[in-house]
Amino acid sequence: MRVVGSGAWAEECPIGDDGGREAHDGAGAAPAESLHPLDFAAKPLVLDRLRVQAGAFFDLIRPDRVWEEPTAAGHWEVRDLAAQMVAVTTRHLACLTAPASTRHVELPRLEGHARRTDEAVMAARTVSRVDTLAALGDRFAVVTALLDSLDETMWTRPVVAHPVFGRVPGVFCAAHLILASTVYAWDIREGRRQRHAVSADAADMVSPFLPKIWQLTLKAAPARPIRVGVQVSGRNGAGYLVHVDRADGFRCTMGDAWSAPTVLEFDPGSFLLTVYGRINGGCDYGDLTQARRFRNLFFRI
């Protein structure tokens, strides 16, 4: 089993007994493309997902008439989500252009992150719509070119120092941009009270990174230990065993989720939106009090 959340990013990510590739029968059948983002062979697919999700987000924010529309992200308007996307892209640009490093980086905590982010976004309201969209387009083009140029070591090993998430593999920069584009697009559509859902392809692609977000958003370890299983469906779905206590904080390993006394079950979309605090999704099995205790351990971002 692989430790997912023990203070540093795991260097390997098992993706099933078949190595993450579907079996193909018949002579001359082409091998299936890898779907797991930490597999270097999946890089073209990850970048394609990124371009699709970012393109959908850009289409939502581009019209002048929507710039000051309300969204489901609290008091943020469409222009604020655009400004935050500029900030997210800028951070990834900075860490991708910094020298690679294998030195230990203390895992940051995200307390106060929402307040600092909100202050920066409110200050960005002085920037015009034209300048915001231009900055976002220019920086996104540079970031995607940098991601496309990463070699296998930079893509799969935790050698990129991120100011918010600590030392991460380069693929995380792509995954986090998919996350941000997907969640912020959800915020806009939800604010318009549309009937909608997140992209299954996008949510499934970033699903392996979501336990790390939980680890970073832990408010405080509970006085009494909590042990739950988390089962996530989808092509990159997995079972996780999560243990949270004061001695070791948040620990997460891949394993048989159903062996735990309490199990939280998600599809990739509800997992993404729950971890990001947009919905209370999924189903709880077993000790429901324990499940509620676990769900309330995290602050929302």
Side-chain angles (χ1 to χ4, degrees):
M1 291 188 293
R2 175 176 61 93
V3 175
V4 176
S6 62
W9 287 81
E11 292 199 347
E12 295 183 1
C13 190
I15 48 182
D17 293 338
D18 63 353
R21 292 174 173 80
E22 299 174 2
H24 283 256
D25 297 325
E33 59 185 346
S34 170
L35 291 172
H36 198 287
L38 275 171
D39 187 336
F40 186 62
K43 187 172 80 165
L45 184 60
V46 174
L47 295 181
D48 179 68
R49 295 277 191 271
L50 172 56
R51 292 184 180 100
V52 169
Q53 291 306 116
F57 175 72
F58 295 164
D59 287 344
L60 287 170
I61 67 173
R62 190 172 289 117
D64 179 64
R65 67 181 184 278
V66 307
W67 198 238
E68 296 184 19
E69 274 188 357
T71 73
H75 60 279
W76 282 13
E77 299 171 353
V78 170
R79 58 178 171 171
D80 302 318
L81 292 173
Q84 173 60 5
M85 198 65 182
V86 172
V88 168
T89 307
T90 301
R91 282 196 292 268
H92 288 303
L93 178 59
C95 65
L96 286 170
T97 52
S101 173
T102 57
R103 67 180 179 84
H104 176 71
V105 175
E106 287 297 324
L107 195 65
R109 295 296 300 274
L110 296 185
E111 293 100 336
H113 179 68
R115 174 184 53 79
R116 294 189 297 271
T117 297
D118 184 62
E119 290 171 353
V121 163
M122 291 298 103
R125 284 187 172 184
T126 60
V127 181
S128 72
R129 169 183 164 274
V130 171
D131 288 345
T132 299
L133 293 177
L136 182 55
D138 291 346
R139 292 173 200 183
F140 180 79
V142 175
V143 165
T144 51
L146 286 169
L147 288 167
D148 195 37
S149 71
L150 295 183
D151 61 18
E152 186 168 2
T153 297
M154 289 289 291
W155 184 262
T156 61
R157 303 298 181 185
V159 295
V160 175
H162 193 279
V164 175
F165 297 103
R167 191 160 53 82
V168 298
V171 61
F172 178 78
C173 296
H176 188 246
L177 287 168
I178 295 173
L179 282 167
S181 299
T182 302
V183 172
Y184 296 161
W186 186 92
D187 288 333
I188 293 172
R189 295 187 180 104
E190 188 73 3
R192 295 173 182 173
R193 301 186 182 278
Q194 296 178 349
R195 303 291 185 183
H196 67 109
V198 299
S199 161
D201 286 337
D204 186 76
M205 182 63 72
V206 300
S207 176
F209 297 97
L210 294 175
K212 177 59 65 173
I213 305 298
W214 255 344
Q215 182 193 15
L216 291 170
T217 55
L218 181 68
K219 288 186 287 191
R224 289 178 291 122
I226 297 177
R227 177 174 175 262
V228 301
V230 178
Q231 184 65 49
V232 184
S233 63
R235 289 164 295 191
N236 283 323
Y240 301 97
L241 293 169
V242 182
H243 187 92
V244 190
D245 62 25
R246 286 186 173 174
D248 298 311
F250 182 99
R251 289 177 292 152
C252 180
T253 59
M254 294 185 75
D256 179 10
W258 299 100
S259 67
T262 302
V263 178
L264 285 66
E265 185 180 37
F266 299 96
D267 63 79
S270 64
F271 191 35
L272 167 61
L273 294 173
T274 297
V275 170
Y276 267 75
R278 286 344 193 242
I279 66 171
N280 294 309
C283 298
D284 296 340
Y285 298 84
D287 186 338
L288 301 185
T289 299
Q290 186 92 323
R292 284 191 290 271
R293 286 182 63 214
F294 178 80
R295 287 176 178 270
N296 283 283
L297 289 176
F298 311 97
F299 53 85
R300 300 191 171 194
I301 55 175

